Amino acid sequence: MIARTDAYDIVLKSLTEVFAQIGTPAPDKVGEDTVLVGNDAVLDSLGVVQLIVEVEQRLEETHGVSLTLANDKAMSQRNSPFRTVGVFAEHVVATALEAAS
Amino acid sequence: MTPSERPVLLVTGSRKGIGRYLAEHYLKKGYFVEGCSRGDGDIGDPSYHHHHVDVADEKAVRGMVADITKRHGRIDVVLNNAAIASMNHVLLTPAKSANRMLEVNVTGTMLVCRDAAKVMMRRRYGRIVNFTTIVAPIALAGEAVYAASKSAVVTFTRILAFELGQWGITCNSFGATPIMTDMIRGVPQDKIDAVVNGLAIKRLGTPEDCANVCDFFIHPASDNITGQVIYLGGVT
């Protein structure tokens, strides 16, 4: 199981890492409502791919959990589970819970 | 973790045949070699680690890659050699057999590429070689589904090259001529002879031929060689 605060922290750190990798300055303020997918997104589609992979790798390193975040359920949802930082963190918690059950 | 200093190579289907030869070939070259198959492996080298994994099993592949990453912190090379073949006239091919070939040969290749590439992209370096076969371009009767699955591997690899190129990962395919392994041991000799006689170089392939092409594709200097397919024996 992964605590919501841990998941949020991992998504934020991963986002910072992705901005560093793609050489784009991070927005001044990044938080729960920062948009990752769709209109006003701070990343392009490839940036989102990188972010998802970065979060998966960090989860493995820090929590020893091996998750596929872009799973069938996630990819078939009407609203993307990656649309904001906060929603992404919720998705991490839910996916970890599901994997553990 | 701090990545191992020695490069790490994953070869699927390493219990026997070409996969085993390649595992031993790259152990001699100083790689940490990670192998997998549906059965237990018996390569005794301390730099070799065997995973009991069916490449078509998504969870198992994910677990294998996570385990490699945990121990080594890197994956430099993937050789997707694992495959199954069922040589039958299409009129005698059950759906179950066709689906299983597609699962192992296409989905299995995709899963290993996907999960290994996630590790490679963080270090912005990777070499992927996916194994195909000459029976696809020569349209060999009796191998329609197997050949179709391997054609899919070639197309998948060409597009993969474009999807992963920006992270320093090259993706290429390699198609061997018939090699005397368990996979073709049940094929009638006259049929093998007919294939060999149609080649520019009229001989069976060897594991050394496979290693030679893999050596070229995975060489660090081959960083601008991607999306290509090399067939042995003059086949194009």
Side-chain angles (χ1 to χ4, degrees):
Chain A
M1 222 171 89
I2 294 167
R4 170 67 163 75
T5 48
D6 288 352
Y8 178 71
D9 189 48
I10 286 171
V11 175
L12 273 188
K13 282 182 176 156
S14 299
L15 186 57
T16 305
E17 174 62 28
V18 170
F19 279 124
Q21 281 175 14
I22 61 182
T24 305
D28 292 340
K29 201 177 169 193
V30 175
E32 284 278 346
D33 299 325
T34 300
V35 179
L36 302 171
V37 174
N39 292 339
D40 305 322
V42 295
L43 294 171
D44 62 11
S45 56
L46 274 175
V48 176
V49 171
Q50 265 180 276
L51 177 63
I52 294 168
V53 172
E54 187 64 30
V55 170
E56 285 180 353
Q57 301 295 314
R58 279 177 188 260
L59 283 166
E60 257 175 39
E61 285 168 4
T62 58
H63 288 69
V65 290
S66 182
L67 302 178
T68 300
L69 294 169
N71 54 28
D72 288 341
K73 193 176 165 188
M75 301 314 277
S76 61
Q77 285 178 26
R78 185 175 297 228
N79 295 315
S80 170
F82 310 110
R83 62 186 180 276
T84 66
V85 169
V87 171
F88 195 157
E90 298 286 352
H91 176 61
V92 169
V93 174
T95 307
L97 200 60
E98 207 166 285
S101 63
Chain B
M1 71 167 288
T2 309
S4 303
E5 291 200 359
R6 283 160 59 193
V8 177
L9 177 145
L10 168 62
V11 53
T12 66
S14 60
R15 189 169 65 86
K16 57 185 181 178
I18 298 165
R20 185 186 178 111
Y21 177 86
L22 292 172
E24 290 171 337
H25 174 75
Y26 288 108
L27 282 167
K28 283 182 204 148
K29 283 181 172 278
Y31 284 81
F32 281 117
V33 175
E34 302 281 323
C36 74
S37 67
R38 285 171 292 161
D40 293 331
D42 61 357
I43 296 175
D45 192 297
S47 294
Y48 178 80
H49 185 92
H50 195 82
H51 303 260
H52 195 139
V53 161
D54 177 346
V55 293
D57 181 337
E58 183 172 21
K59 201 172 171 186
V61 170
R62 187 92 176 89
M64 171 176 71
V65 171
D67 179 64
I68 297 168
T69 311
K70 196 173 170 185
R71 287 183 291 107
H72 295 297
R74 64 193 277 181
I75 298 176
D76 299 80
V77 179
V78 168
L79 306 178
N80 267 307
N81 159 73
I84 56 169
S86 174
M87 291 150 195
N88 263 332
H89 194 286
V90 71
L91 300 181
L92 303 177
T93 302
K96 193 174 176 183
S97 165
N99 285 334
R100 183 65 185 149
M101 271 187 275
L102 293 168
E103 260 180 20
V104 172
N105 301 354
V106 183
T107 310
T109 296
M110 184 280 284
L111 290 173
V112 175
C113 288
R114 184 193 70 183
D115 287 343
K118 289 177 179 179
V119 180
M120 291 172 168
M121 67 188 272
R122 289 185 99 196
R123 296 183 67 245
R124 297 189 168 257
Y125 181 88
R127 297 280 182 268
I128 293 174
V129 183
N130 293 332
F131 286 41
T132 180
T133 171
I134 64 153
V135 306
I138 70 171
L140 187 63
E143 308 208 15
V145 179
Y146 173 65
S149 74
K150 290 299 195 175
S151 291
V153 167
V154 173
T155 303
F156 168 75
T157 307
R158 287 182 57 217
I159 296 175
L160 191 70
F162 281 88
E163 293 194 349
L164 301 181
Q166 66 196 297
W167 293 301
I169 303 169
T170 65
C171 310
N172 293 288
S173 309
F174 159 59
T177 46
I179 297 173
M180 210 37 89
T181 63
D182 285 354
M183 191 177 269
I184 67 160
R185 233 173 277 284
V187 178
Q189 190 59 45
D190 60 336
K191 194 160 185 185
I192 294 173
D193 291 344
V195 171
V196 170
N197 286 331
L199 299 173
I201 308 296
K202 299 184 193 315
R203 67 166 172 83
L204 289 169
T206 64
E208 289 84 352
D209 292 331
C210 302
N212 181 41
V213 177
C214 291
D215 283 350
F216 167 65
F217 278 145
I218 74 172
H219 195 283
S222 296
D223 66 339
N224 201 16
I225 309 292
T226 195
Q228 305 301 305
V229 53
I230 289 182
Y231 295 108
L232 295 180
V235 176
T236 54

